[in-house]
Amino acid sequence: MKKFILIAGMMLACISGFAQMQPGLFTITPKMGLNVASMSNSGRANSRMAFAAGIDFEYQINRQFSFGLGTIYSQQGISDDPWTLKTDYLTLPVTANFYPVRGLGIYVGIEPGILLHDKAEVFYGQHSDVVALKNIEDVTELYKESYGLKYEGLFEKSFGAKRGVLAIPIGVNYEFDHCVFGVKYSIGLGNAISGNGVSCTHNVFQISLGYRFNVFGDVKKVEFKKEKKEEKKEE
């Protein structure tokens, strides 16, 4: 939350012009971003930095509120040397957006996710393998016996990934000249992977950059002018 407040403050300090949303405006925003993904109950495992890309659709109800729907390819998982868990999803965020000041949007919603890939990759010395989650235990044992791997962690045992997950996205967007910078944190609900007494949930911090296209509706362009403010004061 402190990161969100700091970023929002920096954005507001740089405002010289903004797009004021009008009721009935419908926009689409293709975007790309970086995920810093983690998982609860994953022990010493580190975050996985990965890729995200997709498109957001938004309909403006009035000048302060809008309804959003997205389709995002999101790479998630964790890293526990020498293993990296790669669980990739198609996420479908549905959000309620609030614009408290010009150019700045705050949103919250619900984010279903459909599992696309559930693999794990191991690198040890000159050896590497990409395996299904259900076969991790066999590969870990092979590396211990054949290559001298010393490992105790999440990937000692095999486990499975759920085909559907759910999260709560909380985020901040800032738009300037149709460019949209976004910061989002998705809080996972329920277990994403489980097995052998282990149950883990995804949590994802995401930074993104997109470009907003107006499909239909009006956008009123407003420029701040110090001269007008000074004239009013003189009057």
Side-chain angles (χ1 to χ4, degrees):
M1 184 58 68
K2 290 182 179 179
K3 292 181 180 178
F4 290 164
I5 295 172
L6 177 60
I7 292 171
M10 292 173 64
M11 289 174 177
L12 290 174
C14 298
I15 292 178
S16 61
F18 61 89
Q20 181 173 320
M21 301 301 189
Q22 301 296 308
L25 178 68
F26 179 73
T27 64
I28 59 174
T29 307
K31 64 181 185 180
M32 298 177 63
L34 173 69
N35 283 347
V36 181
S38 61
M39 299 189 78
S40 63
N41 301 322
S42 59
R44 64 180 186 183
N46 298 314
S47 300
R48 179 194 180 200
M49 298 185 66
F51 175 74
I55 186 167
D56 287 333
F57 305 88
E58 189 172 346
Y59 178 76
Q60 202 71 29
I61 300 170
N62 56 43
R63 291 187 178 183
Q64 287 189 310
F65 293 95
S66 71
F67 171 80
L69 174 66
T71 303
I72 312 295
Y73 171 67
S74 179
Q75 294 182 336
Q76 300 176 24
I78 50 175
S79 176
D80 191 11
D81 189 37
W83 283 98
T84 299
L85 174 64
K86 297 182 176 182
T87 47
D88 300 342
Y89 294 86
L90 177 66
T91 62
L92 304 167
V94 180
T95 60
N97 311 299
F98 173 59
Y99 292 89
V101 295
R102 305 175 181 95
L104 181 66
I106 302 169
Y107 64 88
V108 66
I110 196 74
E111 188 175 70
I114 302 170
L115 183 66
L116 301 177
H117 303 288
D118 57 339
K119 303 289 185 180
E121 188 170 14
V122 58
F123 283 98
Y124 185 70
Q126 298 180 344
H127 310 285
S128 66
D129 278 293
V130 178
V131 299
L133 302 190
K134 63 182 180 180
N135 297 326
I136 285 177
E137 184 175 1
D138 296 336
V139 176
T140 299
E141 290 301 319
L142 172 64
Y143 272 56
K144 284 182 177 180
E145 295 175 4
S146 301
Y147 310 126
L149 172 66
K150 294 181 179 179
Y151 174 79
E152 292 182 358
L154 181 65
F155 299 96
E156 276 190 293
K157 301 293 183 180
S158 299
F159 46 85
K162 287 188 175 180
R163 297 298 164 185
V165 296
L166 197 62
I168 296 177
I170 302 171
V172 175
N173 285 331
Y174 174 70
E175 179 185 357
F176 182 78
D177 285 342
H178 294 277
C179 293
V180 181
F181 175 76
V183 179
K184 178 178 75 170
Y185 187 70
S186 294
I187 305 168
L189 301 175
N191 298 323
I193 65 169
S194 59
N196 297 294
V198 176
S199 296
C200 301
T201 301
H202 288 296
N203 296 303
V204 182
F205 178 78
Q206 183 182 100
I207 299 174
S208 64
L209 181 64
Y211 189 86
R212 189 190 298 270
F213 294 92
N214 304 323
V215 179
F216 60 80
D218 296 325
V219 176
K220 184 181 179 182
K221 190 68 178 181
V222 181
E223 295 291 338
F224 286 105
K225 294 184 178 179
K226 294 182 179 180
E227 295 82 359
K228 287 186 177 181
K229 292 183 179 179
E230 291 175 355
E231 289 176 2
K232 288 182 179 179
K233 289 181 179 180
E234 291 177 358
E235 293 176 358

